[in-house]
Amino acid sequence: MRQITDLQGTFTLNNGVEMPYFGLGVYLSEDGQEVINAVKWALQTGYRHIDTASIYRNEEGVGQGLKESDIARSEVFVVSKVWNADQGYDSTLRAFDASLQRLDLDYLDLYLIHWPVAHKYKETWRALERLYREKRIRAIGVSNFMQHHLEDVMEQAEVVPMVNQMEFHPYLVQQPLLDFCKAKGIQYEAWSPMMQGKIFAMDSFKELASKYRKSVAQIVLRWDLQKGVITIPKSVKEERIQRNAEIFDFELSAEDVAFLDSLDKGQRFGPDPDNFDF
């Protein structure tokens, strides 16, 4: 197990950049005061990692929340993603500029290809490599890339992706993909760790929560980190943002980690990266 210390702890990416392993996701957070507040509450709690995307249509609010906090920009790891309609070399460069403008930032800490759009993602990756060489992004990566997508990109890539953000929860572990990414030095990251809320109705998680005197969400988020997977739970409620982060005062036993692994059904609650239509 990789060392897990506290809310501001990091995993080291393959280029040496330190990425906080716990952050706030803002998918479906409404632009304006809702997302501004969520970002400010997260930073006040101690989060140092904020994950957005152009398709979330809340980059402006994220940028405003960063400005209104008293945390220095250099201390916050800010992530965004290029959307499918913007993929391709020149259009990705334009999309990146537009995201920076909306966020009102000079650089991003991490920029991801949101989905592997056929016949476009390799050119999109080439654009990310250029932005990385120009030091406009500290790290570059992908999201929703299966092993064959990663292998395809890396055939001609000058830079190995630093992150792969995937749907990840006890019903979709994808251990072979996890192992492949680890072998290639690609940091795995989770989205939808709560199985779109379905996890809260499951008795096995309630039993673990009772055993450790923690919430179901805290059990799952701790499991993510013990699997070496960065996690970015979404919330717009101050109390839940704080509660989600209270996972550094306990550790799941090896047996309980293995039990959660054993629940894997290969079941997705989001789109299939090999069959999506956006």
Side-chain angles (χ1 to χ4, degrees), residues 120-189:
K120 287 191 174 183
Y121 62 77
K122 292 173 87 167
E123 284 298 293
T124 303
W125 185 253
R126 208 162 58 82
L128 264 61
E129 289 180 323
R130 172 178 167 176
L131 293 165
Y132 177 65
R133 286 194 302 269
E134 292 175 350
K135 301 189 184 303
R136 303 186 69 200
I137 316 172
R138 296 177 64 224
I140 53 177
V142 297
S143 184
N144 302 299
F145 274 49
M146 303 299 286
Q147 180 172 331
H148 67 91
H149 297 124
L150 292 167
E151 290 173 332
D152 191 33
V153 163
M154 290 189 292
E155 269 184 358
Q156 297 171 318
E158 297 176 5
V159 179
V160 174
M162 290 142 200
V163 173
N164 187 17
Q165 187 182 118
M166 296 291 296
E167 180 177 354
F168 178 80
H169 45 69
Y171 276 12
L172 187 69
V173 178
Q174 298 187 103
Q175 190 65 48
L177 180 58
L178 265 172
D179 293 341
F180 175 83
C181 287
K182 183 177 181 180
K184 298 297 182 182
I186 301 169
Q187 174 62 53
Y188 215 83
E189 181 176 7

Side-chain angles (χ1 to χ4, degrees), residues 255-275:
E255 293 77 16
D256 288 331
V257 169
F259 167 71
L260 292 176
D261 289 353
S262 75
L263 299 177
D264 187 12
K265 298 180 175 184
Q267 182 176 346
R268 298 183 184 279
F269 294 92
D272 182 347
D274 284 324
N275 183 25

Side-chain angles (χ1 to χ4, degrees), residues 73 96 100-101 103-108 135-137:
R73 163 68 185 99
F96 176 79
L100 269 193
Q101 185 174 13
L103 286 158
D104 196 17
L105 298 176
D106 296 324
Y107 68 95
L108 282 181
K135 301 189 184 303
R136 303 186 69 200
I137 316 172

Side-chain angles (χ1 to χ4, degrees), residues 170 193-194 199 205 215-225:
M194 308 299 171
I199 210 159
F205 289 97
S215 70
V216 167
Q218 289 165 339
I219 295 294
V220 175
L221 296 172
R222 180 72 197 192
W223 174 73
D224 286 357
L225 297 188

Side-chain angles (χ1 to χ4, degrees), residues 10-248:
T10 61
F11 290 156
T12 305
L13 303 183
N14 63 29
N15 67 340
V17 166
E18 298 290 329
M19 181 173 178
Y21 46 55
F22 195 91
L24 177 74
V26 299
Y27 176 56
L28 296 181
S29 299
E30 187 176 334
D31 198 23
Q33 205 58 53
E34 182 172 88
V35 78
I36 290 169
N37 286 341
V39 168
K40 289 167 63 179
W41 289 329
L43 294 176
Q44 288 166 9
T45 299
Y47 290 59
R48 293 295 181 265
H49 172 179
I50 307 295
D51 180 282
T52 185
S54 62
I55 195 63
Y56 300 170
R57 305 193 188 285
N58 57 19
E59 287 173 314
E60 292 95 338
V62 168
Q64 188 62 33
L66 292 169
K67 276 204 241 8
E68 291 184 14
S69 79
D70 57 359
I71 306 301
R73 163 68 185 99
S74 60
E75 294 184 27
V76 186
F77 196 93
V78 183
V79 184
S80 194
K81 311 172 191 76
V82 57
W83 183 240
N84 303 343
D86 295 320
Q87 287 197 40
Y89 186 79
D90 292 329
S91 51
T92 293
L93 297 177
R94 290 192 296 269
F96 176 79
D97 286 339
S99 281
L100 269 193
Q101 185 174 13
R102 288 189 292 267
L103 286 158
D104 196 17
L105 298 176
D106 296 324
Y107 68 95
L108 282 181
D109 296 279
L110 176 65
Y111 197 47
L112 304 176
I113 301 177
H114 210 145
W115 288 86
V117 175
H119 312 301
K120 287 191 174 183
Y121 62 77
K122 292 173 87 167
E123 284 298 293
T124 303
W125 185 253
R126 208 162 58 82
L128 264 61
E129 289 180 323
R130 172 178 167 176
L131 293 165
Y132 177 65
R133 286 194 302 269
E134 292 175 350
K135 301 189 184 303
R136 303 186 69 200
I137 316 172
R138 296 177 64 224
I140 53 177
V142 297
S143 184
N144 302 299
F145 274 49
M146 303 299 286
Q147 180 172 331
H148 67 91
H149 297 124
L150 292 167
E151 290 173 332
D152 191 33
V153 163
M154 290 189 292
E155 269 184 358
Q156 297 171 318
E158 297 176 5
V159 179
V160 174
M162 290 142 200
V163 173
N164 187 17
Q165 187 182 118
M166 296 291 296
E167 180 177 354
F168 178 80
H169 45 69
Y171 276 12
L172 187 69
V173 178
Q174 298 187 103
Q175 190 65 48
L177 180 58
L178 265 172
D179 293 341
F180 175 83
C181 287
K182 183 177 181 180
K184 298 297 182 182
I186 301 169
Q187 174 62 53
Y188 215 83
E189 181 176 7
W191 63 260
S192 197
M194 308 299 171
M195 297 169 20
Q196 296 185 4
K198 294 176 178 60
I199 210 159
F200 299 107
M202 297 168 60
D203 289 340
S204 55
F205 289 97
K206 293 176 184 176
E207 290 168 7
L208 280 176
S210 177
K211 174 181 176 179
Y212 287 95
R213 298 184 179 180
K214 288 289 180 178
S215 70
V216 167
Q218 289 165 339
I219 295 294
V220 175
L221 296 172
R222 180 72 197 192
W223 174 73
D224 286 357
L225 297 188
Q226 289 186 216
K227 292 284 287 180
V229 176
I230 288 173
T231 190
I232 46 169
K234 176 256 176 178
S235 183
V236 295
K237 297 180 179 179
E238 184 174 14
E239 182 182 2
R240 189 170 297 166
I241 288 170
Q242 293 169 348
R243 290 268 289 157
N244 283 344
E246 294 171 359
I247 59 171
F248 301 99

